[in-house]
Amino acid sequence: MDAKLLLPFPFAPAAATRSPKSLFLGAPLPPPPRPPPFPLRLRPRPAAVVAQAAVKRRKEAPFDTVIQRDKKLKLVLKLRNILVAQPDRVMSLRELGRFRRDLGLTRKRRLIALLRRFPGVFDVVEEGVYSLRFRLTPAAERLYLDELRLRNESEGLAVAKLRKLLMMSQEKRILIEKVAHLKHDLGLPPEFRDTVCLRYPQYFRVVRMDRGPALELTHWDPELAVSAAELAEEESRAREAEERNLIIDRPLKFNRVRLPKGLKLTRGEARRIARFKEMPYISPYADFSHLRSGSDEKEKHACGVVHEILSLTVEKRTLVDHLTHFREEFRFSQSLRGMIIRHPDMFYVSFKGDRDSVFLREAYKDSQLVEKNQLVLLKEKMRALVAVPRFPRRAAVGTGEEAEGMNGSLQSRDQVSDEEYDDEDEGLSDMEDLISELSGGKSDADYEWGDGWFGENDDSPPDFGDDEVKVAMKIADGSANGSAPVPVFPDGRPRERW
């Protein structure tokens, strides 16, 4: 037998590479279809919503200044509320120590140093050996009594604000604890439930709910169902009608969206804001149960409600958190802060302070309110008392501009953060307080330190002799002869005036 036949094949035959025959006797199964490159069922694209434009927020110093200048005032008002709750409005410092957490004092700082930072508001008196008490100064006492009197006199206005707030809600019913968040902003009395709510049963009724007592509206007044935006629009139309009658061939006036200076928007964003403004106005007092959440009409109504609530407040501003409490009553969206930021032509959201604040833009000019009521004027007087320094500078004459700055604008000292003041007051000791009291409230910087010589700034030069130095003193113009002396040399010869 040939040896070549015994050798293995260099390559396997084709029959050997075939796969074993399938046991399935029918036709072979077709290959599975390949998945399409794109899904067959595409998710429907949502319709373009006008109000969903993402507008970049821009910081504005005039509005942030309003928050900064009230930081110390808020602390002083907290101290005053604790003090006026005591009998005779006098309290000891030991009792005040129990309210550290309520005042937000986390660091171990001396309470007497805190009270002496505001000499225009608080007086610290000593009773006994180790007993220190504090009370309001006469000026702060008068402001507090004037505020109580003014709140009592404006009770009718407070009733109207409560009625309008209930008329805007969906069920015409709001929990009292939610209304309490806005009592200071709306100018309501501190105990409005026991006073306003119970004195006017023809307008209100207190009902029991699962989450607590609620205030319910009992009478709908169509005369109150007019928003501030509608009143302003009527006044604007009347003004334009008068101007049209006075001016002949006046060019047409285009509707333009007034945006804050420096706010850069893309054309798409500006177009969306303009389209949103051109939408028909929806009154905040109208029925909104049929409006679909997330629609343009619902956001138009929500902006009208926020605008009306800010118009009812005393300072035309409030905290964003206060508005979020009314999500259920007004059907606000979960992203209420984002909705407000999307409309910079109407509102401004400030991130200064512990919580965000929202301002009604049209009610402010720079950092001042356009229209100020009596409560705002009293608050400005209180802010002036808070700004009174502990150590007044010597020969500091208060001009009209400085007084205006203390009442309205922020002073340079107010611009410093409270942390810097805390560090400043932390170092005060009892010995320094005692020295300040004995010196009549003056510091070392208030005294003029010199060598005791008088006439150092005199215009006449000194005369130097051989034995001694003689200083020619200048006689005032109001002397007996009324004429200035003639300068001479030491030997008596006259010389020229230097």
Side-chain angles (χ1 to χ4, degrees), residues 22 31 42 127 155 182 213 238 241 252 288 292 313 336 341 344 359 364 375 378 401 404 418-419 430 474 497:
S22 175
L42 297 178
E127 295 182 1
E155 185 173 308
L182 290 175
L252 296 178
F288 58 94
R292 182 173 56 88
T313 57
L336 179 62
I341 294 177
F359 290 80
Y364 279 83
L375 288 176
L378 287 179
E401 297 179 358
E404 181 182 357
D418 288 346
E419 297 180 358
D430 296 333
K474 182 178 180 181
R497 183 178 296 277

Side-chain angles (χ1 to χ4, degrees), residues 407-480:
N407 294 334
S409 61
L410 180 66
Q411 301 299 312
S412 60
R413 185 175 175 85
D414 293 343
Q415 295 176 354
V416 185
S417 61
D418 288 346
E419 297 180 358
E420 297 181 6
Y421 283 117
D422 295 343
D423 298 338
E424 175 184 350
D425 296 330
E426 197 74 23
L428 294 178
S429 61
D430 296 333
M431 183 58 66
E432 292 175 349
D433 296 336
L434 180 59
I435 293 175
S436 65
E437 293 179 0
L438 295 178
S439 61
K442 295 183 179 180
S443 62
D444 294 344
D446 298 329
Y447 292 96
E448 296 181 358
W449 302 99
D451 54 2
W453 288 90
F454 296 95
E456 292 178 343
N457 298 328
D458 195 15
D459 295 334
S460 57
D463 292 351
F464 299 95
D466 298 335
D467 300 334
E468 60 180 357
V469 177
K470 296 182 180 180
V471 181
M473 303 301 295
K474 182 178 180 181
I475 302 178
D477 295 338
S479 58

